[in-house]
Amino acid sequence: QLQLVESGVGLVQPGGSLRLSCQASGSTFLYYNIGWFRQAPGNEREGVACISGDNINYANSVMGRFTVSKDNTKSTVWLQMNSLQPEDTADYFCAAYESRFRLCHLVPSYYDYWGQGTQVTVSS
């Protein structure tokens, strides 16, 4: 069964950058589509970005500031976050679902496996 382990939690000043990583184990990484989600207190879980093959999608709220990438040989996905603002403060989760098609969705219900979550706080 696929397992996802996240790292990169931290406190960042407005305008700063942070890189989150999500490393997979326990299954063939090649056949999983990966998404990034975030959830702030009192809010619904929000899709941030997803990647499947060369198909990448971003939420409008992060487009132009966040970049997702992956390395299949390392079974790792990264979320590079630039120009961070206080409204980006949330718990961030990586997630995956198995597919042999190049699908990419920003909807939580598609995803079967979830990382433990990492806290990102943007404040001066």
Side-chain angles (χ1 to χ4, degrees):
Q1 186 173 353
L2 185 71
Q3 300 175 56
L4 303 175
V5 178
E6 303 174 34
S7 63
V9 63
L11 175 64
V12 186
Q13 293 184 332
S17 298
L18 184 66
R19 191 189 196 193
L20 304 180
S21 66
C22 175
Q23 188 166 33
S25 63
S27 189
T28 303
F29 185 73
L30 181 64
Y31 297 130
Y32 287 85
N33 299 322
I34 308 297
W36 286 95
F37 299 84
R38 66 186 183 185
Q39 188 166 20
N43 291 352
E44 295 183 348
R45 189 161 295 184
E46 174 189 19
V48 175
C50 59
I51 183 169
S52 177
D54 59 358
N55 184 16
I56 303 175
N57 196 17
Y58 298 97
N60 289 336
S61 59
V62 306
M63 192 172 299
R65 300 188 297 121
F66 290 12
T67 303
V68 64
S69 60
K70 68 175 180 178
D71 186 338
N72 290 331
T73 64
K74 298 180 179 180
S75 298
T76 301
V77 176
W78 296 273
L79 181 66
Q80 178 67 46
M81 302 183 291
N82 299 326
S83 301
L84 285 163
Q85 301 299 316
E87 53 264 36
D88 296 315
T89 296
D91 290 334
Y92 283 72
F93 301 86
C94 66
Y97 68 95
E98 187 176 11
S99 177
R100 302 202 178 192
F101 300 95
R102 293 192 177 98
L103 303 175
C104 186
H105 301 283
L106 292 173
V107 181
S109 61
Y110 277 87
Y111 294 83
D112 300 311
Y113 307 97
W114 293 81
Q116 79 278 11
T118 58
Q119 185 179 71
V120 174
T121 301
V122 184
S123 176
S124 60

